[in-house]
Amino acid sequence: MLYPDSFEQKLGFDKIRDLLRQACISPLGQSYVDKIRFSDNFQLIDKMLRQVAEFKTIVQYEPEFPSSNYLDIRPQLAKVRIEGMMLTEEEFFDLKLTLRTIQLCLRFLAGKEKEVYPYLNELADAITVDKKLTEAIERVIDDRGHVRDNASPELATIRRRIISEQAGLRKKLDGIMRSARQQGWMPDDISMTIRNGRVVIPISAEHKRRLKGFIHDESATGQTVFIEPAEVFDANNEIREMEYEERREVARILRELTALLRPYLPELQRATTFLGLIDFIRAKAKFALQIDAGMPKLVNQPLVDWLQARHPLLHLSFQKQGKKVVPLNLLLDSGQRILIISGPNAGGKSVALKTIGLLQYMIQSGLLIPVIEGSTAGIFQNLFIDIGDEQSLENDLSTYSSHLTSMKAFVTFANRKTLFLIDEFGTGTEPGLGGAIAEAILEELTKSGAYGVVNTHYTNLKLFADKTTGLVNGAMRFDGEHLEPLYELEIGRPGSSFAFEIASKIGLPKPLIDRAKEKLGSQQVNLEKLLKELDIEKRVFAEKNMEVGINQRKLAQQLAETNALKTRLDNDQKRLLNEAKQKAKALVAEANQRIENTIREIKENKAERDMTRLVRQELEQFDKKELKPETLVEDVRKKPEKVEPEEFLPESGAIAVGSFVQIKGQSTIGEVLALRGKDVEIRIGDLKSTIKLNRLEKVSRKVYREAVGETARPKMQGIDLNEKMMNFSFNLDIRGQRGEEAMVELDNFINNGLMLGYAELRIVHGKGDGILRTLVRNHLRTFPQVTSMQDEHADRGGAGVTVVKMK
C-alpha cells in the first residue's frame, strides 16, 4: 500500500520515469516504463534487479549486443490477425528488421554460458522465431524494403517486359527530343521526365503547337509545358497496363505472405514482448550507470542498511554542475526501527527523507539504487510519506489538518512491514500542543512495530527517542564554529537547531537574542548549548583518536621490531651453544680415543721408557693444538700489549655520521648511521640501535677493524622496519597501468601494509570502464587478511578508489 496517491510526484519518481522513457530506443520499451509498479513480491523484485544488473554488465562490456531496429510491430500483428488483410512492403520491411534484431539478441545470449547471464537467458528461453518464417520473408522482401523481382515467376516476367518497353520508349523519345532541340523548341540541357506516371518531354510554351501530343503539365512560370508525344501514346499505355499488372502480382504475393504469418502470431507476439522487455531493461541499466547505481544484497524482511546512499536526481543535477552529493549512511533494523532526525533548517533533513523514500520505492519497482557494495535492502508492504502538505480549499483543509489526516492513515494502517517518512512532524499549530500530539502519535507508531524516519525540531521527541526502545536519535551535522551545514547524517545523538547562532550570524541585535534566550528558559538554552558543544567536542576527539590510533600503530610496529630482534638474538645464542656442544662432544670423543690408544700402545710395548715418552708427547701435542681456547674480540681489547697503546685511546674530534664509536665502559664498537639531536643511531654488527650521544666515545678505524676482524662475514640482508615505516604510504595509485603491472604493485603494497600493521589501505584505480577496479577487487579477495572492500567517500574519489580494511 502506498500513501498518499501523489506518492510518486512527492518523491520525484515521475521524473525518473521520464528519464527511463528517454533511455528507451522504441515505443516498445516506453510502454513498459508506464507499467512500472511498486511490488512487495520478493522473488519478482529479485529477478528484476538481477536482470538489470546483468544488462548493466552488457552495456559496459559487450558492445556487440544489438542496439538498433527495436521497431514496434504490434500494429502489423494486429492487422495480420484480421482475415483477408494484407501488410504493405514497408510494414513487411519493419517486420523483417525487427525479427532480425530479435534473432541477434537470442544468438548473443545463446553464445554465452548460462552462468554468465542466467536471468536474461531465462527471459529468452521461451522465445523462438521459426526459421521458415524468416526465410519466407527474406525471399520476398529485399534489404531496401521492396518485393524482389524473383518473388514469383510472373513478377519476374512482368518486370522484364516493363524494362524492355521502357527502353523502347526512351529510344523513341530520344529521337523526338533531338529533333526538337535542332529546331529550337527546347533547351539543350533539359531531359525527359515523368508526369502522372507517364514519360513526357519539356517544350517551350511558344512551340507547344508544333509538337503533336498531350499536354500533362506546365512549369510554375508557364514558360515550359510537358508534352507526351502522340508517337509514344501506345507505348506509355502499354507500360501503364504492365505496371497495373505488376501491382496486382505484388499484392497477391504480399497477401499470401501475410496469410503465411497468421499461424505464427502467438510466437511473434511473444518475440515482440521479449524485444520490448530487452529495450526496457537496457534503459534501466543505462540509467543505473548514469546515477552510479549498484545492486545491494536483497533480504525478504523489513530492513534498511545502506552505505553511501545518494539521491539519484540530485546526483545528476550536481554532476552537471561539477559537484558531488554528500552520501547518506543509514541503518533501520529490529533494534532501531525509527530514526528521529533533528538539526538546523536547510541542513539536509528533507533531502535525506526523500532519498530514503525514493530509493526504497525504486528498489521495490525493480530499479538499481545508488549505494555501494556492502549495502542491504529489505522489503516493505507499505510505504507512507507525509512530506509538504495537502491543504485544500475544496476540502477545507489547513496545513495542520492535512498533516493530521495523514497521521490518521498512518496510525490506522501501519504494521510491522510498514516504512513511514514524516517531514517536520507536528508543525502547523501551537508548538506545545503540536509537540504533545506528535509524541502521542509517535508512541502509537512505535507500538505498531513499523519502521520510519521522522524530521523534527521538537525537544520532547528527541527525549522520547532517547528513552524508548526501538527509537534512535540522529542529527544532520552542522559546523557550529562557521555556522555552515555539512549535510552528513550522524546516528546516535540529537541535533541542535542552532537558531540563536544562525540569528546572530544573520545580524539580529545581541540584546534581542539575549531576551529570546531568557524567554525560552535556561533548561532549553542549556540543552541547545550542550548539543552544540557536544558536536564541537566530538570533532576534536575524533581528531585526537586519529592521532592516538597512528601512535598506537607506530608503537605496535616498534614492539614487533623489538620482539623480532630479541627472538633473533636468542636464536643466535642457542645456535652458538649448540655448535659449541657438538664440537666439545667431538673433541672429547677424539681425546678418549687417543687416551685409549696410548694405554694400549704402552701395554703392547711393556712400558718401555722411550716409547712411552713418545706416546705421551703426542697426547700433549694434541692437547695443546686441538683443545687450545679461541681468542675472543673482547680478550684482544683486554691485552693492550698486543696492539699499539694509542689505539685504545678515544680519538679526538666530534662524533659525526660515519664515525666509529664505542659505548663508554663497554667493549662494544659500532658505526654511526644518523644523528638526531642528543640521540645517535649506530650499527653494531647486523643490529641497529639508538643511544644517547653522551654515552659514546669516538675510536679510530683501526680499532674498529681489529674489533670486527679484517675479513668480516657478509652482512645479512635484514629489513629496516623504521625505514619502511617512514617511506611507506597507505595510498597506492595504479591509474593508467596494465593489469599485470598493477597486480605486481598491488601484491607488494598489501604485503608491506600487512607487515607494518596498517588496518586500512587506499587503492586509487580510477573509474573509467570499471575494468581495473574489478581486477583489483577480485585480486584482493585472494588475501585472507582482507576483511572488507568499499568505495571511498564520494568527495574523495568515490568508485575510483577502493578502501581496504585489514584484519
Side-chain angles (χ1 to χ4, degrees), residues 215-240:
I215 298 176
H216 284 272
D217 199 3
E218 67 177 4
S219 65
T221 61
Q223 295 180 359
T224 303
V225 295
F226 299 92
I227 298 177
E228 180 185 4
E231 294 94 324
V232 297
F233 275 174
D234 292 339
N236 262 331
N237 288 338
E238 183 68 23
I239 290 173
R240 290 298 294 272

Side-chain angles (χ1 to χ4, degrees), residues 487-702:
Y487 305 110
E488 296 177 4
L489 174 62
E490 183 178 355
I491 297 178
R493 68 171 185 85
S496 169
S497 296
F498 289 90
F500 294 130
E501 290 77 8
I502 294 173
S504 178
K505 181 181 180 181
I506 290 173
L508 285 180
K510 187 176 183 300
L512 188 151
I513 296 174
D514 292 339
R515 284 203 307 274
K517 290 181 179 179
E518 292 173 5
K519 292 178 180 295
L520 182 62
S522 60
Q523 183 178 359
Q524 181 66 29
V525 171
N526 290 337
L527 177 61
E528 293 291 327
K529 182 181 178 183
L530 285 173
L531 289 174
K532 176 186 174 183
E533 292 175 352
L534 177 64
D535 186 66
I536 295 173
E537 288 178 2
K538 182 168 183 180
R539 286 210 314 275
V540 172
F541 281 113
E543 294 172 0
K544 294 291 183 184
N545 285 338
M546 186 179 296
E547 292 178 8
V548 170
I550 293 172
N551 292 333
Q552 285 179 339
R553 283 200 297 271
K554 289 182 179 178
L555 181 61
Q557 290 156 8
Q558 291 175 356
L559 181 61
E561 182 182 0
T562 303
N563 289 337
L565 180 59
K566 181 178 181 300
T567 301
R568 191 171 70 181
L569 290 174
D570 289 344
N571 289 337
D572 288 346
Q573 183 182 15
K574 291 176 181 178
R575 184 170 59 253
L576 290 173
L577 287 173
N578 290 336
E579 290 175 358
K581 289 177 181 178
Q582 291 295 329
K583 288 181 179 179
K585 286 181 180 179
L587 289 172
V588 169
E590 186 176 353
N592 288 335
Q593 184 64 40
R594 285 182 175 273
I595 291 171
E596 290 177 1
N597 292 339
T598 300
I599 294 172
R600 188 175 66 253
E601 289 181 8
I602 291 173
K603 287 181 178 180
E604 290 175 353
N605 292 287
K606 297 180 180 179
E608 291 183 5
R609 184 174 298 175
D610 294 338
M611 195 63 188
T612 302
R613 186 172 60 252
L614 182 61
V615 172
R616 284 179 175 173
Q617 287 176 353
E618 290 179 358
L619 188 60
E620 289 173 358
Q621 191 174 10
F622 168 76
D623 176 61
K624 291 178 181 179
K625 181 179 179 181
E626 298 297 335
L627 302 182
K628 179 182 178 181
E630 297 290 338
T631 303
L632 302 178
V633 174
E634 289 79 4
D635 293 337
V636 174
R637 295 296 307 276
K638 291 176 183 177
K639 298 177 181 178
E641 67 276 4
K642 293 186 180 181
V643 295
E644 296 297 327
E646 64 269 21
E647 293 297 337
F648 283 98
L649 295 176
E651 194 172 58
S652 61
I655 295 175
V657 175
S659 298
F660 300 104
V661 295
Q662 73 175 0
I663 301 174
K664 293 178 180 178
Q666 298 184 24
S667 59
T668 307
I669 298 177
E671 181 182 359
V672 176
L673 298 178
L675 294 173
R676 300 189 183 95
K678 296 182 179 180
D679 294 329
V680 181
E681 184 180 355
I682 65 172
R683 180 174 61 218
I684 304 172
D686 295 329
L687 306 180
K688 293 181 183 178
S689 181
T690 301
I691 301 176
K692 294 293 183 182
L693 180 62
N694 56 15
R695 292 187 57 200
L696 300 174
E697 58 185 7
K698 190 174 180 182
V699 298
S700 67
R701 180 182 293 275
K702 186 175 181 181

Side-chain angles (χ1 to χ4, degrees), residues 289-474:
L289 287 172
Q290 282 182 317
I291 62 175
D292 197 18
M295 181 173 175
K297 179 183 177 182
L298 195 67
V299 294
N300 192 13
Q301 66 184 61
L303 177 68
V304 176
D305 185 5
W306 298 340
L307 301 176
Q308 296 191 25
R310 287 162 282 112
H311 194 290
L313 299 177
L314 194 61
H315 173 81
L316 293 176
S317 175
F318 276 25
Q319 204 172 47
K320 293 177 183 177
Q321 303 172 41
K323 299 190 295 184
K324 292 184 178 179
V325 177
V326 178
L328 179 74
N329 294 325
L330 180 69
L331 174 63
L332 296 179
D333 59 11
S334 57
Q336 52 179 53
R337 293 180 290 104
I338 300 176
L339 172 64
I340 309 298
I341 302 179
S342 49
N345 288 323
K349 299 192 301 296
S350 296
V351 173
L353 204 69
K354 290 182 178 180
T355 301
I356 297 166
L358 181 58
L359 297 194
Q360 188 63 44
Y361 187 77
M362 284 175 63
I363 203 160
Q364 291 194 232
S365 298
L367 295 173
L368 301 183
I369 58 175
V371 295
I372 65 168
E373 187 177 350
S375 300
T376 305
I379 303 297
F380 294 90
Q381 285 183 350
N382 307 314
L383 291 186
F384 299 158
I385 62 170
D386 180 38
I387 299 175
D389 61 64
E390 298 289 338
Q391 58 179 323
S392 168
L393 293 175
E394 292 82 2
N395 297 328
D396 194 24
L397 286 177
S398 67
T399 299
Y400 188 62
S401 298
S402 70
H403 284 307
L404 288 181
T405 302
S406 299
M407 293 306 102
K408 176 185 175 183
F410 285 21
V411 171
T412 303
F413 298 108
N415 58 29
R416 295 181 181 276
K417 295 185 178 181
T418 297
L419 176 65
F420 64 86
L421 308 171
I422 305 174
D423 193 23
E424 300 298 343
F425 199 15
T427 57
T429 189
E430 197 276 321
L433 298 177
I437 294 175
E439 184 174 342
I441 292 172
L442 185 57
E443 186 175 358
E444 194 66 24
L445 290 172
T446 304
K447 291 178 182 177
S448 71
Y451 292 68
V453 181
V454 175
N455 291 345
T456 187
H457 289 286
Y458 287 141
T459 303
N460 65 312
L461 296 185
K462 303 175 192 178
L463 297 174
F464 179 73
D466 188 56
K467 64 184 181 181
T468 305
T469 303
L471 274 70
V472 63
N473 273 304

